[in-house]
Amino acid sequence: MRTGFPKDFLWGGAMAASQAEGSYDQGGKGLDTQDLRYFDAAWSKEERALKQNRRMNGEKFDAALASGDLEHYPFRRGIDFYHRWREDLDLFAELGIKVLRTSISWARIYPNGDDETPNEEGLRFYMDLFDACHAKGIKVFATILHYNIPVHLVQKYGGWKSRKTVECFLRYTRTLFERLGDRVDYWLPFNEFNAGKFNPYNGVCLVEDQEEDYSNAIFQCLHHQFIANALAVKQGHEILPGSKIGGMIARFTTYPATCKPADVMQMIHDDQYSNWFYLDVMARGRYPAYMERYFEAEGIHIQMEPGDEEILRANTVDFVSFSYYFSQISTTEQGWEKTSGNLIMANKNPYLETSEWGWQKDPVGLRITLNQVYDRYQLPVFVAENGLGAIDVPEADGSIHDPYRIDYLRSHIEQMREAVRDGVDLIGYTMWGFIDLVSCGSMEMSKRYGVIYVDQDDAGRGTLARSRKDSFYWYKKCIESGGEDLA
Ligand code: BGP
């Protein structure tokens, strides 16, 4: 029996280009879909949480295109990682991470998405970054697409609705495999595949009021992404034999509200439709039978091309991964109390405490999830995101005491260790937002995940100076001890 984390366990940190890099119009980068999301620091907490902020319509899209504003478009500024990455990397090395998960910005490599040749300056940025990681003994886990696609692809082809975007994506992935291949250790073509369903602008870049049948368009786009994912796996394996290419979802762990059989059935359906569908296609290589019934009931018709099923079947992923932040309840009862969760509103569990943003903290749910995912796919598992969004207040001397974050990390890592002892082939853990960055959901800076603090407020004011929170020293000790010293 395994007693703890394997020696070569990949302790790490995760971030994403659009939330960190900034410099949205520098180095030859084109405008991307995240650059168009509007935020106002004057919004109340309730206004920040509104679902429409995550959705896009034609009016907001056009207004953003016409604007050069940085204050109200926080993804345009990020945390200035584009210029500060060398110093940041020194801190990452001091923290002792073994792997950095970050995404590559498509519009830095192909500014319009359908350009004939790549932007060399964009490629150079990632070559330098990844080389520097390796020079410090940090492996690279590269997300190929973490929500932000070149705006031009949306304007010209309707984004993921079109097969043309699949073609452009594969030109982009070919460039990455060929030019960055020896600098990347783990590949992830798509961040949180199920986001397309739950957050259609981020996930599949749909402009809502331009769709006649929004629900159908979502699944058509998802089909194109499945094909793009499978063909990227094929391409990656051909260009880089032995490369490790994974699939990822945002995991919404779900429990039945009661032992009433109808609640248990509801849980099975919620799990299938929200979670397993996406990993099943990527890891088992086919649309699962339960989705036929769902599509029938929902009136969804997906247009497939001859050969699509074969493409999915022949090109499955090498490992599975997920983000894990919370769990939720499944019930047939109407009017169950709700709370927030990553990407969705969740049914409240009376046994769990919530974060300041209402996300239900459930460390045991992580062990449950790891067991479920490994049982189902029997593939190596990577926890690609996990962490606590909280308000941190620096003391007068600049120190930042964040015992709540340490508690969160400790309790989740303890449960990961239990899962390893349960026999789960867990290969890595990249803590989300280990350096503070712009929140993806609510676009604010004040929802902080980092063990590294970044001095910037919601309106983009601040020195951008980096400093170590108490959790920095705690996570460093955890990594040094191979996950044994969690005190
Ligand atoms: C995931 C995204 C990340 C990240 C995280 C936390 O869904 O992949 O980009 O931001 O959630 O969410 P938020 O930033 O909304 O707190």
Side-chain angles (χ1 to χ4, degrees), residues 19 146-147 191-192 325 342-343 359 385 432 439-442 447 449:
Q19 292 168 260
H146 195 124
Y147 296 152
N191 179 60
E192 298 186 330
Y325 293 95
N342 185 21
L343 304 168
W359 298 18
E385 287 182 29
W432 175 253
S439 157
C440 182
S442 46
K447 186 180 188 189
Y449 285 84

Side-chain angles (χ1 to χ4, degrees), residues 108-395:
R108 258 191 212 294
I109 308 297
Y110 284 99
N112 296 297
D114 62 355
D115 319 71
E116 287 300 318
T117 52
N119 169 33
E120 289 298 324
E121 209 177 333
L123 281 168
R124 176 48 51 201
F125 172 70
Y126 295 106
M127 284 176 186
D128 290 348
L129 172 63
F130 297 166
D131 279 345
C133 284
H134 282 148
K136 289 185 183 293
I138 298 173
K139 288 192 182 344
V140 175
F141 180 6
T143 314
I144 294 176
L145 184 57
H146 195 124
Y147 296 152
N148 50 342
I149 82 167
V151 162
H152 174 76
L153 293 178
V154 177
Q155 294 174 301
K156 191 156 176 201
Y157 308 109
W160 287 105
K161 270 187 303 180
S162 163
R163 232 37 213 206
K164 179 71 189 175
T165 296
V166 177
E167 200 184 290
C168 295
F169 181 76
L170 291 167
R171 186 182 305 170
Y172 165 54
T173 54
R174 171 169 293 282
T175 301
L176 300 187
F177 293 138
E178 287 177 350
R179 304 286 303 279
L180 302 177
D182 51 355
R183 294 170 165 92
V184 174
D185 304 278
Y186 294 86
W187 296 95
L188 189 64
F190 288 89
N191 179 60
E192 298 186 330
F193 218 99
N194 47 348
K197 172 74 172 69
F198 298 101
N199 199 341
Y201 180 66
N202 280 0
V204 292
C205 310
L206 283 180
V207 179
E208 194 166 349
D209 56 356
Q210 289 171 7
E211 294 312 317
E212 267 174 42
D213 187 342
Y214 194 47
S215 297
N216 207 77
I218 288 172
F219 282 99
Q220 188 61 51
C221 289
L222 282 166
H223 178 67
H224 290 153
Q225 289 191 336
F226 282 134
I227 295 297
N229 184 73
L231 289 174
V233 169
K234 179 171 192 280
Q235 207 181 45
H237 285 160
E238 282 167 6
I239 299 171
L240 301 164
S243 52
K244 298 180 189 69
I245 309 176
M248 176 190 177
I249 57 164
R251 172 68 178 147
F252 308 133
T253 300
T254 186
Y255 308 132
T258 69
C259 48
K260 213 165 42 172
D263 279 350
V264 178
M265 198 62 232
Q266 185 64 43
M267 181 209 73
I268 289 176
H269 281 151
D270 288 346
D271 225 357
Q272 289 174 329
Y273 304 151
S274 310
N275 296 286
W276 300 136
F277 165 44
Y278 304 89
L279 280 180
D280 281 357
V281 177
M282 289 188 280
R284 290 175 161 171
R286 59 182 185 273
Y287 273 67
Y290 55 79
M291 286 310 281
E292 279 175 34
R293 184 166 185 182
Y294 176 89
F295 291 147
E296 175 86 31
E298 300 291 318
I300 305 288
H301 300 284
I302 298 173
Q303 272 188 339
M304 298 206 190
E305 284 190 5
D308 278 4
E309 287 179 1
E310 176 54 22
I311 289 171
L312 297 177
R313 199 193 56 72
N315 304 291
T316 53
V317 292
D318 303 309
F319 65 93
V320 285
S321 63
F322 56 83
S323 61
Y324 177 83
Y325 293 95
F326 71 102
S327 67
Q328 57 164 352
I329 293 297
S330 286
T331 176
T332 50
E333 207 172 288
Q334 296 302 308
W336 194 274
E337 191 186 344
K338 300 265 190 260
T339 185
S340 302
N342 185 21
L343 304 168
I344 59 165
M345 285 302 286
N347 288 325
K348 202 161 162 42
N349 182 335
Y351 298 102
L352 299 177
E353 287 177 6
T354 63
S355 76
E356 290 166 88
W357 273 262
W359 298 18
Q360 309 190 87
K361 297 187 252 180
D362 181 10
V364 177
L366 178 54
R367 178 180 178 187
I368 293 170
T369 290
L370 284 164
N371 274 278
Q372 290 171 324
V373 167
Y374 188 59
D375 278 353
R376 195 169 179 105
Y377 303 109
Q378 298 284 301
L379 286 172
V381 188
F382 208 123
V383 178
E385 287 182 29
N386 170 246
L388 177 73
I391 293 184
D392 296 320
V393 185
E395 304 290 327

Side-chain angles (χ1 to χ4, degrees), residues 94-113:
E94 183 187 325
L95 179 61
I97 57 168
K98 313 282 182 214
V99 64
L100 172 69
R101 175 182 174 227
T102 192
S103 71
I104 295 165
S105 167
W106 188 349
R108 258 191 212 294
I109 308 297
Y110 284 99
N112 296 297

